[in-house]
Each structure stands twice: as C-alpha cells, then as structure tokens.
Amino acid sequence: MNKTILVTGGLGYIGSHTVVELQNSNYKVVVIDNLSNSIKEVAERIVSITKQPIQLYVADINDHSSLEALFKQETIEGVIHFAAHKAVGESVQNPFKYYRNNIDGMITLHQVMHQHHVKTIVFSSSCTVYGDTKSSPIEETHPVTEAISPYGTTKLVCEQILKDLCKYSGFKGIILRYFNPVGAHPSTLIGELPLGVPDNLVPYITQTAAGIREKLTVFGNDYNTPDGTNIRDYIHVVDLAKAHVKALDYAFAMDQDYEIFNLGTGKGYSVLEVIKAFEKVSGKNLPYVMGARRAGDVEQIWADATKAEKLLKWAHQFDLNDMMDSAWKWQVALNDSNLGKIKDTTS
Ligand code: NAD
Ligand code: UFG
C-alpha cells in the first residue's frame, strides 16, 4: 500500500511542486493549507498535471482541533512541513506574526503528530540560518549564526525544536536548507504567486519583462564580487521538489534521529548573470538600473550540496537558463490566465 503523506502549505509555491512529485512517486497526498498565501485553484491545477486526487483541508495548522480531525480521518504516515510565512521584510515589521505562525504552527503540528504516533517529518528551512557567511561553498556543518531577521529566527527555532523532538521523542526528521528556489513547473500550470510587489529577484524580473513593473533595481554593484553584484545559488523548484521525495524516502529508512541537507546547485550566479540569462532565454531586453545595497543582504553565498547528492542520491537537473525559461513561461501563462486576478500578484 502507498504511504499517505500530509503536506502542510501544499498549495504554496514549493509545496505545490512537491505534491506533484510525491504523486508522481506514488505517494498519496493530503494537503492542509489556510490559503493565507495561496488559492484553492492550485489544487485543481495539480490534479490536472498528475491526474490523481488530493485530499485538501482548508485549515490552519495552528488550529489544534482541525489538525486532530485531519489525523483522525486520514492515515498519515509522514509529513512535509512547508506552511509558514516567508517575507523577510514583513517579518521585521511584524515579528509576532512570524513567531506565532511559524513557531506556534510547528509546535501544534508536532504535538498532534506525536499524539497520533506519526514521527517522520521533512522540514523546510533556509540558508538564512548560516547568516552573513564569509566564504562559500557552505557545508551543513557550517555554524548557524544569530538570525538576520525574525523570519530567520523562526527557522533557527524550528530547526532546534525538531532536533529536540528527534533526540528525545522518537521523531525522525530531515531539515532541508534551501538556497534560492526559482522557476516553475514545465506545464506552466503552477509556479510562484507573489503577493503584490515581489521582494525576490526572479519574479521581479519576470514582472518587469511583462510590463507590470517599470524597471528592476539591482541592489548594489559595489560588492566584493567579480561584477560587484550579490551572488546566490539559484535552484529550480522542480529539482527542489524532487529532493523532498528523496528526503522523505530517506527519513522512512534512516536509523539516525535527524539529518540536515543543503539544497542548491553548488554554483553561484551574480544578479547581473541572472539578468543576462533571462534576456537570453526570453529574447527580451530587461530595463534595469543600479541602486543602493539592500539592508540585510549577504554578499555571496552558495551551497555545498554534496551531502544531498551522496546520501539522498539526488542531483539537480536544471541549469540557470532552464530556471529563467520556466519562470518566464510561467509569467506569460499567468498573464493569460485568471490566477493572477484571483490572487492579486501585481499591485
Ligand atoms: P508559500 O507562501 O508559497 O507557501 C506556503 C504555504 O503555506 C501557502 O500556501 C500558505 O497559504 C500556507 N500557510 C502559511 N501559514 C499557514 C498556516 N498557519 N496553516 C496552513 N497553511 C499555511 O511559500 P514557499 O515559497 O512555498 O515556501 C515554503 C516553505 O519553504 C516555507 O516554510 C518557507 O519559509 C521555506 N523557504 C522558502 C524559500 C523561498 O525562497 N521560497 C527559501 C527558503 C525556505
Ligand atoms: N535583488 C535585486 N533587486 C530586486 C530583488 C533582489 O537586486 O529587486 C537581489 C538581492 O539584492 C539579492 C538577489 O537579488 O542579491 C536575490 O534576492 P532575493 O530576494 O531573490 O533572495 P535572497 O537571497 O535575498 O533571499 C532568499 C529567500 C529568503 C531567505 C534568504 C536567505 O528569498 O527567504 O534567501 O539568504 F531568507
């Protein structure tokens, strides 16, 4: 019998792509999502990609009784936990919103899992836990440092909670530290749905090319990097989603309490290199200007992803051109569809 997996935040950007890959790998999927940063239509689109049903619970993971009802109704054997708020800037403005949703949500979820003897979990963390690193590539053994935002704090705290539960309460946990997820599903049916003006580079680029934004501002060109702009490790969301399936398989089989994996390609690209790749694959000239540095930006960071490659037997398949191509095709499809209107992805 195929295992049933609960995906929290399964209608969101990374969650929706992971649901597709789980179903492609014959897992049965139950999703809980409160639609705080997603829309129900994503569930229909996932079904049209995989032709398999999803059991969807529109509910909040902070709501203990809804989670109880879900765990009573379904035979959950493992959980992939995406549900969280993720806007770094907003977390600085409203830290309590982040502590409540991300940390309380994690605790409530794990408490109900514990009560129902479900102990296998994959958790979404971020390279933000490494803070302002001085040298790359970064291995998982690199020390985590004081967070550079309340959002980052929630990731550090949640990692620690999960480690505790793995050490003392029989959980088997995988912590995945993502670098910069970008791109969209090749079907162009699912992708990132940023709310309002995007904070992140790639949706800002695609919205500018689509004429929704006037121009991109490059945040700083006086860094100590070859072209002066920040370097990041961009990873295609489909590669990232596939890594979750491998991580889950690994968690079901592992003896150790928990394991941490970086998920990146192991190669860093500057902001200008990303723009060039976008222009090449889209055939568009991107209007951009050089601007001031953005507070809190790390100069350069990329992953050492060899641990995931070795232990999870995972390897990324898509390169920067594929990422930009799929992001652009998604933006075009979004303009043509009703999704962008249902969730205002532009104003
Ligand atoms: P997203 O906002 O697209 O998806 C999160 C989903 O969770 C949304 O559908 C939202 O409605 C739902 N949600 C939020 N709070 C909830 C709650 N209390 N109960 C139920 N549902 C809730 O974000 P994403 O980009 O898919 O990120 C997924 C996870 O990965 C998050 O934990 C995020 O912090 C982490 N992460 C993301 C990035 C990135 O750049 N996208 C990088 C590192 C880590
Ligand atoms: N950038 C611009 N102009 C923009 C937007 C971004 O030049 O309009 C630059 C940034 O300065 C940075 C790069 O593009 O150099 C990437 O920026 P993103 O905002 O796309 O991504 P970040 O690396 O800042 O943030 C990501 C995740 C966060 C996570 C953080 C950890 O989105 O969730 O990595 O470092 F916390």
Side-chain angles (χ1 to χ4, degrees), residues 153-316:
T153 302
T154 69
K155 290 296 170 195
L156 279 173
V157 171
C158 287
E159 282 199 3
Q160 193 55 52
I161 290 171
L162 183 51
K163 287 179 195 170
D164 284 352
L165 292 173
C166 291
K167 277 191 225 154
Y168 310 122
S169 304
F171 279 74
K172 296 280 178 190
I174 302 273
I175 292 168
L176 298 179
R177 293 179 179 156
Y178 315 152
F179 280 65
N180 286 57
V182 297
H185 196 264
S187 64
T188 71
L189 286 170
I190 54 172
E192 192 168 7
L193 286 171
L195 192 59
V197 183
D199 286 327
N200 297 119
L201 178 64
V202 175
Y204 207 105
I205 288 177
T206 58
Q207 289 197 5
T208 305
I212 299 164
R213 313 272 155 225
E214 192 192 336
K215 58 180 181 301
L216 172 80
T217 301
V218 176
F219 296 142
N221 64 343
D222 58 351
Y223 285 99
N224 187 22
T225 60
D227 65 21
T229 65
N230 286 156
I231 294 177
R232 295 287 183 275
D233 186 341
Y234 297 91
I235 175 163
H236 197 299
V237 67
V238 171
D239 279 333
L240 193 67
K242 287 181 177 168
H244 286 74
V245 180
K246 299 270 191 183
L248 189 67
D249 293 342
Y250 190 86
F252 280 124
M254 75 183 182
D255 293 326
Q256 61 276 43
D257 305 327
Y258 68 86
E259 205 63 77
I260 301 174
F261 295 100
N262 284 337
L263 292 178
T265 64
K267 189 160 170 36
Y269 288 98
S270 72
V271 176
L272 290 180
E273 285 174 318
V274 173
I275 294 172
K276 274 199 202 103
F278 176 80
E279 290 185 324
K280 186 174 137 197
V281 298
S282 68
K284 294 240 165 207
N285 265 333
L286 192 81
Y288 66 90
V289 291
M290 295 300 175
R293 290 182 177 198
R294 180 172 69 176
D297 269 342
V298 172
E299 183 169 270
Q300 46 189 319
I301 182 168
W302 62 93
D304 181 330
T306 17
K307 184 175 171 189
E309 287 162 12
K310 276 195 191 138
L311 294 191
L312 300 182
K313 303 192 179 9
W314 166 84
H316 74 276

